[in-house]
Amino acid sequence: MKAPPFLLLNINDIFYTFGAFMAVLIAVEIFINIRLYPGTNVFPVQLVVATALMAIARKVIVLDFDTLIPMYLLGIAATTLALGVTYRLLKQSNQDHGWHD
């Protein structure tokens, strides 16, 4: 028999649970991308970049800072920045042309 308090989550358990939930959301986004692409002549670049942003956000949430090396963190930061700038430019370009999501 376990001693109380049982069923208590620590912070790592919460991060991994949230990471798993985000993995499901990413899978749903990928499914939407796959369904959307054959129905149109335009490749949904903005949706793909948004899905990549969600995937990198999930990666940041579940990072293990005990085994993290600085170059890995710099790589994730550069990837996040590049995807964020790309998403912003795509969104701005769509607004300039009168296209909407």
Side-chain angles (χ1 to χ4, degrees), residues 54-66:
M54 188 181 296
I56 199 76
R58 179 197 175 275
K59 184 68 176 171
V60 168
I61 288 171
V62 298
L63 276 177
D64 184 11
F65 288 101
D66 295 332

Side-chain angles (χ1 to χ4, degrees), residues 15-85:
F15 281 143
Y16 287 125
T17 303
F18 188 65
F21 177 70
M22 285 191 69
V24 171
L25 290 178
I26 293 166
V28 169
E29 288 291 329
I30 291 171
F31 178 70
I32 291 170
N33 288 348
I34 292 170
R35 282 195 39 203
L36 188 65
Y37 180 64
T40 181
N41 295 340
V42 178
F43 186 71
V45 177
Q46 189 173 351
L47 190 57
V48 171
V49 172
T51 305
L53 269 170
M54 188 181 296
I56 199 76
R58 179 197 175 275
K59 184 68 176 171
V60 168
I61 288 171
V62 298
L63 276 177
D64 184 11
F65 288 101
D66 295 332
T67 61
L68 187 66
I69 60 172
M71 289 305 290
Y72 189 78
L73 187 59
L74 284 174
I76 288 179
T79 303
T80 305
L81 180 65
L83 286 170
V85 168

